[in-house]
Amino acid sequence: MIRPLSRTALVLDIVGAFVLFALTVPVSLAFYAPGNLSPIVSDAVGIGILFLAGTLQCGAVAVGRLAPGISLVAAWAGAIAQMAAGLGPLPINLAILGVLYATAAWGSTKVFWAGLGSAFVGGVLASVQIFFVNGLAPAGSIASSIATITLVAVMSILALGAPWLGGFGWRMVLRWRATREAQTLAEAATAEEQERVRIARDMHDIVAHSLAVIIAQSDGARYAAASDPAIATEALGTVSQTARAALSDVRMLLTQLRHRQGDGPQPTIADLDQLFQQVQQAGLEPRVTVDPTPPGEPPAAVQLAVYRIMQEALTNAIRHGAGGVVDVRLSWLADRVEIEVRNAVTDADARPSGGGGHGIVGMRERAQLIGGTLRAEREGVDFVVSGRLPIGSPTEGSTGGEE
């Protein structure tokens, strides 16, 4: 029944209704001079009903936006009192146009259609009032009289229907704005969810890789502590360096969670050498083949995907592999980059063919985000991670993150 409305808007509506009342009521009195107010009631009664009808109809304008349904009822009450007293159309009836606009623009579904019906019924009643109550029936044949009455009725309906159509247009504008706002909020929520997924994926890659290197180096330091303290000291240094690097990366990701201004610096293919060194310090021997080399500067999203897939694949080799050599192959072709990481696994390795935990799922997601594919499965005594990532034009690049 009552819509939420700001105090400023309500005050403006009330002031506007008061101004309308002050302008139309005196003009209505002047339009119907004393002695000619109505063929039904006396002048005093007619003036009183005119003031009552003006108050109801202008009051309906005052609450048109706040309560369109109540506004329509008040306007009809004023119009019925006016017609019952035999008063024809008056300048105060301009208020009805504002009420019909309000019902179409802000009314509920029932009020919306009630406003349309009121425009039709009001137009017909106005023509009947003019010709049969106020004694202005047209002269001439019955056919011409019917035609005249019909024309006046149609014109009255159009006059009342015009503001209703205007309100309907504004209703469509408000609905479009609400739809756009909902769409914007949905897009923002989707972007935030994608950002959380990306940060979670990066967090997994950083923590899993760093912990795998730390565990391998710690075990090596423990075994070498008794026989060769120098090797143990070097391994502990690697542990410290890896932990600090991981801490720095985690802090960067947490900063991105707090501040969404940008993705922050992301690893590129230039950081692969440092990654291979960490793997080597963890006890594996990466045998890297890059053929052909990148034809220019690949897009930043492709570089990040290559780095993270390589990081996760090498982390799996450290955690689940049999040690020794890990074959790494990168082929930078004109339209794509092909990745392959192959390492030996032990018979006790329980990973299913093509399966895996979050790491393998994350690698597949990274490849799919940029339109590529990835396969991770066991081939004989080896576990192979292979993928194809589209490159596009080598000149595109460094314009954004993986999303």
Side-chain angles (χ1 to χ4, degrees):
M1 292 294 292
I2 298 179
R3 299 173 57 250
L5 191 66
S6 67
R7 182 177 299 177
T8 301
L10 182 59
V11 170
L12 289 176
D13 289 350
I14 294 174
V15 171
F18 179 80
V19 171
L20 181 65
F21 179 86
L23 293 176
T24 58
V25 170
V27 175
S28 298
L29 288 174
F31 186 79
Y32 284 97
N36 192 33
L37 273 172
S38 169
I40 298 178
V41 298
S42 64
D43 290 347
V45 175
I47 292 174
I49 293 178
L50 188 150
F51 271 98
L52 175 63
T55 301
L56 287 172
Q57 293 175 19
C58 292
V61 172
V63 297
R65 280 195 291 179
L66 180 66
I70 297 175
S71 174
L72 184 62
V73 171
W76 263 111
I80 291 173
Q82 180 180 338
M83 289 185 292
L87 300 177
L90 296 170
I92 59 173
N93 299 138
L94 290 175
I96 295 177
L97 304 182
V99 173
L100 291 174
Y101 179 92
T103 60
W106 300 289
S108 63
T109 302
K110 292 182 178 179
V111 174
F112 174 82
W113 292 113
L116 178 60
S118 298
F120 180 82
V121 174
V124 173
L125 291 179
S127 62
V128 171
Q129 180 81 10
I130 292 172
F131 290 115
F132 296 103
V133 178
N134 296 105
L136 298 178
S141 64
I142 297 178
S144 63
S145 299
I146 293 176
T148 302
I149 295 173
T150 302
L151 178 61
V152 172
V154 170
M155 293 177 62
S156 300
I157 292 172
L158 291 177
L160 294 174
W164 185 90
L165 287 175
F168 175 72
W170 183 243
R171 187 188 191 94
M172 293 299 99
V173 171
L174 295 178
R175 182 169 297 181
W176 176 81
R177 287 180 179 178
T179 302
R180 285 289 301 167
E181 183 178 354
Q183 181 180 359
T184 301
L185 292 175
E187 290 174 353
T190 300
E192 291 178 0
E193 181 63 23
Q194 291 176 346
E195 180 72 0
R196 285 195 293 268
V197 171
R198 183 191 68 79
I199 292 176
R201 191 186 302 119
D202 285 351
M203 187 78 75
H204 172 273
D205 293 344
I206 291 169
V207 173
H209 172 75
S210 301
L211 288 180
V213 173
I214 290 172
I215 291 171
Q217 290 293 313
S218 300
D219 289 342
R222 181 163 55 87
Y223 295 142
S227 59
D228 194 341
I231 295 179
T233 301
E234 181 181 353
L236 292 176
T238 301
V239 169
S240 176
Q241 179 183 359
T242 303
R244 284 192 175 91
L247 180 61
S248 176
D249 290 340
V250 169
R251 282 176 175 170
M252 181 188 70
L253 292 175
L254 293 178
T255 300
Q256 293 176 34
L257 283 175
R258 290 193 299 268
H259 309 286
R260 297 183 298 169
Q261 289 86 352
D263 291 340
Q266 297 289 351
T268 65
I269 56 176
D271 299 308
L272 287 176
D273 289 340
Q274 182 179 0
L275 177 64
F276 296 146
Q277 291 177 7
Q278 292 178 350
V279 172
Q280 191 173 21
Q281 292 170 354
L284 295 181
E285 185 61 35
R287 186 163 55 194
V288 182
T289 303
V290 181
D291 184 28
T293 57
E297 183 72 12
V302 175
Q303 295 191 54
L304 178 61
V306 169
Y307 181 90
R308 292 303 190 196
I309 291 173
M310 194 72 68
Q311 183 183 48
E312 182 60 35
L314 292 173
T315 299
N316 286 341
I318 294 174
R319 297 172 60 189
H320 303 287
V325 176
V326 178
D327 287 316
V328 177
R329 182 177 64 84
L330 278 172
S331 300
W332 294 91
L333 305 177
D335 61 340
R336 68 186 185 279
V337 57
E338 296 182 353
I339 305 172
E340 182 179 282
V341 178
R342 181 184 295 268
N343 64 280
V345 293
T346 63
D347 292 337
D349 187 4
R351 286 180 302 170
S353 175
H358 297 292
I360 293 177
V361 172
M363 286 191 290
R364 288 200 180 101
E365 289 178 349
R366 287 188 182 277
Q368 292 170 358
L369 280 174
I370 59 174
T373 59
L374 184 132
R375 181 174 59 88
E377 60 185 5
R378 186 165 180 167
E379 295 181 0
V381 297
D382 293 336
F383 191 82
V384 180
V385 175
S386 59
R388 290 188 177 188
L389 309 178
I391 294 179
S393 173
T395 58
E396 299 175 358
S398 36
T399 59
E402 68 175 333
E403 303 298 341

